[in-house]
Amino acid sequence: NRGIFSVIASKIFKFVICVDLQTKYNKCIDEIMSSNNQKNYEIINGIIGNLELKNAFEFNDQKIININELIKNKANLEKIFLKIDIEGGEFKLFDVIDLGFVDVIVMEIHSEMGKVKEILDKLNNNNFNILCYNENLEKINYPDKNISFVKAINKKLLTQFS
């Protein structure tokens, strides 16, 4: 399913950044984007995070990507959408991420690897409307310890559509 989510996002958002650890998926992502006539994307190979996270992976020759620099470089775009699936690295990511330019976040959370409430509190404190789901994609109340997925939409974006 590499690239499927990106092609859907590319039809909704002005630009999609596909960050993947492994370069072997680049061709697959290029092919699915091309077959859907999408050119509004960029593939970046590396690890979003820090050296501690990088050392946890066997592909430690990849570059470390600073999420705040990546977002600020694309801030001239209409909306910033982040899809986060970084195998527990989301806790370190939310220690440093600047959510000022971000409009929508969809992420998988590995609740056994950190304090989910800290991520949700940061989203709430940065004016995000938060929806939480369990592993069966059933909507659950925040903060429930069985959270597996989170969808967060910046309230400023919601007011543009109301």
Side-chain angles (χ1 to χ4, degrees):
N1 67 16
R2 297 273 176 179
I4 293 173
F5 191 89
S6 295
V7 80
I8 293 167
S10 72
K11 293 180 182 277
I12 299 169
F13 295 91
K14 201 177 215 179
F15 196 80
V16 175
I17 300 167
C18 309
V19 178
D20 202 299
L21 177 64
Q22 301 178 59
T23 58
K24 70 181 181 180
Y25 296 113
N26 290 6
K27 184 178 178 187
C28 176
I29 294 168
D30 282 334
E31 286 174 358
I32 195 165
M33 295 299 268
S34 178
S35 68
N36 285 277
N37 299 316
Q38 298 302 309
K39 297 180 177 150
N40 59 333
Y41 74 101
E42 176 183 358
I43 301 172
I44 299 173
N45 295 109
I47 298 168
I48 292 182
N50 57 29
L51 191 57
E52 178 181 321
L53 182 59
K54 180 177 179 173
N55 291 335
F57 290 95
E58 60 190 74
F59 306 98
N60 58 12
D61 60 334
Q62 292 290 345
K63 69 179 176 181
I64 296 175
I65 300 163
N66 181 301
I67 187 68
N68 293 323
E69 287 178 21
L70 184 62
I71 290 170
K72 285 177 185 167
N73 287 339
K74 303 299 179 185
N76 62 330
L77 302 174
E78 222 173 89
K79 299 172 188 70
I80 298 285
F81 174 96
L82 294 179
K83 176 188 171 273
I84 302 169
D85 182 2
I86 53 176
E87 307 308 320
E90 58 272 15
F91 297 97
K92 293 282 185 193
L93 178 69
F94 271 80
D95 285 344
V96 298
I97 192 169
D98 177 358
L99 295 171
F101 294 107
V102 179
D103 294 298
V104 180
I105 297 171
V106 175
M107 72 175 153
E108 181 179 17
I109 291 188
H110 297 82
S111 57
E112 71 280 4
M113 299 183 78
K115 295 180 181 175
V116 175
K117 188 174 181 325
E118 290 179 8
I119 290 177
L120 299 178
D121 286 348
K122 183 163 186 172
L123 288 167
N124 193 44
N125 292 339
N126 280 274
N127 207 31
F128 279 83
N129 183 30
I130 304 165
L131 299 171
C132 302
Y133 303 87
N134 65 19
E135 63 184 17
N136 298 317
L137 297 179
E138 299 164 328
K139 190 174 175 186
I140 56 178
N141 292 325
Y142 148 79
D144 184 304
K145 65 180 178 190
N146 296 315
I147 293 173
S148 294
F149 301 95
V150 171
K151 177 172 60 174
I153 303 171
N154 195 306
K155 291 176 185 172
K156 72 178 179 198
L157 185 63
L158 290 174
T159 59
Q160 293 175 9
F161 296 107
S162 55

